[in-house]
Each structure stands twice: as structure tokens, then as C-alpha cells.
Amino acid sequence: MVHFFKQINNSIMLGALTSLGRSAAFSTGRSAFVANGARVNAVRSIGSTMVMNAEEGQAEVVLVGCGAPNRGMGWYHAVQMIDKKCPSASLDYVIEPWFMGAGGEGPGGADFKVWQGEAEGAGVKFATSLADLPEPSAPRLALISGRTADNPRLLTESIANGCSCIYLEKPGAPTVAELEAMATEAEAAGVEVLMGYNKNVCKYVRKTREFAETVPGSKVTFVSNNAYENTAESLGECFERNAEGMLKNMAIHELALLASFYDVNVDNIESVTADKEFSSMQTLPGPSGNDFTDFDKIKFTIKTKTGTEVSVQADRCGGTDSYAYVTDAEGNEIFRYYMPDEEDKAHVKVRITPIYFVIVFFSRCQ
């Protein structure tokens, strides 16, 4: 079974609403070790005499696309694995062509080199291509966390270089057609492909849903915030780096929630109503000098043919917290729950240094 996101249009260019199924995972083929976390990396080329790190019962993880320290999602995965947050995963390799190549002297390059050295000290090997990898010495999992447009190619290269399981960062590919082709390719190779959406198992989502079920006629709104600076330079960099657009990038977690829990699919949507007063779209130059058009914030409500009504709000400059709230039949807010909540914050304060704050509360979403 394959689950993926289709793009549809409405009167204000809302797209990328979910299509099939009640799961946000895209899966084919045989089972293998699956890593839910990862950790920090160190940059260098792979030598044939280097000793592999994976032990018995562990997957040999290849992180494909690390990104900048404290910024790239791949980097956060790497940190978790290096810190042994996922016992079945051994981060043995990092493939990072940008910061080990043309991007090494640009923004973030110096920080990456420092972090690379630390990760190499932990035994992680670095390279610029999957083709540089030796033969697997344990079940090999590729954790692909690069640019969405590169994912189809990276999946093909991962299969060709001994990966028996692949974990894709959302949204997996730019189009549904590419996702379908990737699923077919992986199934033919006997390779399992997974795509995870952490908000589906977050405490704040569960608490909000449980409360809403006790109030007849209530409606849930999911709010997703990023902490970009509200400047043309900051948002332009964001628009270029996440060129698939806000709905397929930032807000796709909320779309996964709607598909999983609110019966939202392309055949069941009655209407999509945009909050035009809240929503904002801009065209801004990215670091390359090219212009990119995207939402910096958006809010919309979906009504289904089966009577469900649910809203999504996303803001690139809204802050660090995500949350959900419930309104009654008259539109009055009667419940709100944040991620992280006070329990999570207290746990982080006691046990974890501040730099790992985001990593920890993601891993505690349950």
C-alpha cells in the first residue's frame, strides 16, 4: 500500500492536500531496521580501511543530506543517533556534497566543518556521494534528508549502493507521479521505504483530539510556527531552500494529521476556505538571486462531505511553538495545548543542555 500527497487547486492557490489512506507512511517491500532518530556528523572522505561501527542488532545508517548544524533536519537526526537515542541505529556514514563541496566556503560552511570534526571523533565517516560507500557490513538504512527535488535520484542511488531500507523526509518527492515511480522501483528491488510524520504521535495532538471528542460541535485548529526573521533576506533564503513550498514543506505535517484523523482526502473535500486576512504570499529573491514565490503564512479551513471541519494555520515567522486549539459551536476557544508543554520543558531543563532542546521534545512527542 502506498500513501502520498496529491496537489489540488482552489480559488487562492491552496494545494498539496492529502490523498489516499489513513496513514502518513509510504511503505513497500520487506522489513529492515528502521531509525527514528539520528545525530551529528563529521566531514571527511571514506577510506577502504576504516572500521564499520554497526554492531549486532543495529542498522548501518547512511545519512544523505545533513545540512547546517542547528538548522538542517538531517543534522538533528544525526545528533539523535550519535547520542544513542535510537539503539537499533548506528550512524556510520554521512553523505554531504554541498558543505563538503561548493558550499563549504559559504554561509554555514565553517560551522559544518567544526561539527564535522566532532562527529568524525565519534566514528562517523563522511563522503560526497553514495557511490563512495563500501559494501554493507550490516543491514543498511539510508536516511534521506536532502532537497525534495533530489529525492527520486537519491532513492535510486541508495538502492544501487546496498540500502535495504530507506527513510524519506517529507514530502518524499515534488510530485505524486514521482512518488509512485519511487514506490514501484523500491518494490521491485525488495526495499522498504518509510516516510514519518512526527506530529501524528505528538502529545499535543492526542490531547487536543481527546478533548474535542468530548464537545459536540467543536472544531480543531492546528497551528504550526517557525522562527524565521520577518525580513526579505531570511524569508528569501527559506523560500529557495524549501522550494517545494510551504504546503508541501512546513504545513505538510498538519495535512498528514488531516488525512490520518479527519477523513480528509481529495475525494471527500467539500470546500477549502482561506483566511485571506491572515494569509500572506510574497515573491522574494533567494541567495542565488532567483525569485521564489511562496506563502510566509497561511490559514485555511477544510470541510469534508462527511461533515468534518478542521483548520490549519502556519506561519514562518510565528515563533518556536506549535499548538492546537478547540473552539465550541459558537466559535469560542475552549482548549489549547502546546508542544512542548510544561512537563517537556521541565524534562529538558533538568536533563538536557539547551542546544538539544528541539531534538528532545520531538523525541518525546507521544
Side-chain angles (χ1 to χ4, degrees), residues 54-119:
E55 300 176 353
E56 184 177 355
Q58 288 187 311
E60 176 186 285
V61 178
V62 181
L63 175 63
V64 185
C66 174
N70 293 306
R71 191 164 192 171
M73 201 67 241
W75 180 85
Y76 284 112
H77 286 306
V79 169
Q80 289 178 324
M81 284 191 286
I82 291 175
D83 286 348
K84 311 299 183 185
K85 299 297 183 182
C86 184
S88 62
S90 172
L91 180 61
D92 289 358
Y93 305 104
V94 172
I95 308 299
E96 178 49 58
W98 175 247
F99 283 120
M100 293 179 65
E105 302 305 318
D111 289 340
F112 182 82
K113 289 176 183 176
V114 171
W115 173 77
Q116 168 190 350
E118 295 172 351

Side-chain angles (χ1 to χ4, degrees), residues 119-231:
E120 285 185 323
V124 182
K125 279 76 71 178
F126 282 75
T128 59
S129 171
L130 282 154
D132 295 334
L133 295 176
E135 290 297 314
S137 62
R140 178 173 286 175
L141 180 147
L143 197 165
I144 299 176
S145 188
R147 297 190 312 162
T148 299
D150 295 332
N151 282 359
R153 171 179 60 82
L154 294 173
L155 179 134
T156 296
E157 293 178 5
S158 296
I159 293 173
N161 287 281
C163 295
S164 56
C165 187
I166 296 171
Y167 188 101
L168 276 175
E169 272 290 353
K170 48 79 178 170
T175 67
V176 172
E178 287 169 298
L179 280 175
E180 291 175 328
M182 293 162 71
T184 299
E185 178 182 4
E187 186 170 19
V191 171
E192 186 176 42
V193 182
L194 305 171
M195 188 187 306
Y197 289 88
N198 59 19
K199 290 185 180 180
N200 281 37
V201 293
C202 278
K203 188 195 309 182
Y204 85 104
V205 171
R206 173 170 52 83
K207 293 285 189 181
T208 302
R209 291 177 53 231
E210 289 173 349
F211 181 87
E213 289 172 358
T214 68
V215 183
S218 63
K219 189 185 83 170
V220 172
T221 297
F222 293 104
V223 179
S224 178
N225 288 318
N226 284 168
Y228 289 91
E229 295 180 17
N230 193 6
T231 65

Side-chain angles (χ1 to χ4, degrees), residues 36-41 68-86 115 198 202 320 339-340 344 347-348 352-366:
N36 292 323
R39 176 194 159 170
V40 193
N41 308 342
N70 293 306
R71 191 164 192 171
M73 201 67 241
W75 180 85
Y76 284 112
H77 286 306
V79 169
Q80 289 178 324
M81 284 191 286
I82 291 175
D83 286 348
K84 311 299 183 185
K85 299 297 183 182
C86 184
W115 173 77
N198 59 19
C202 278
T320 58
M339 179 183 78
D344 295 331
H347 177 83
V348 170
I352 307 296
T353 56
I355 191 170
Y356 296 133
F357 175 76
V358 175
I359 302 165
V360 171
F361 79 66
F362 270 123
S363 69
R364 284 175 54 78
C365 290
Q366 54 186 351

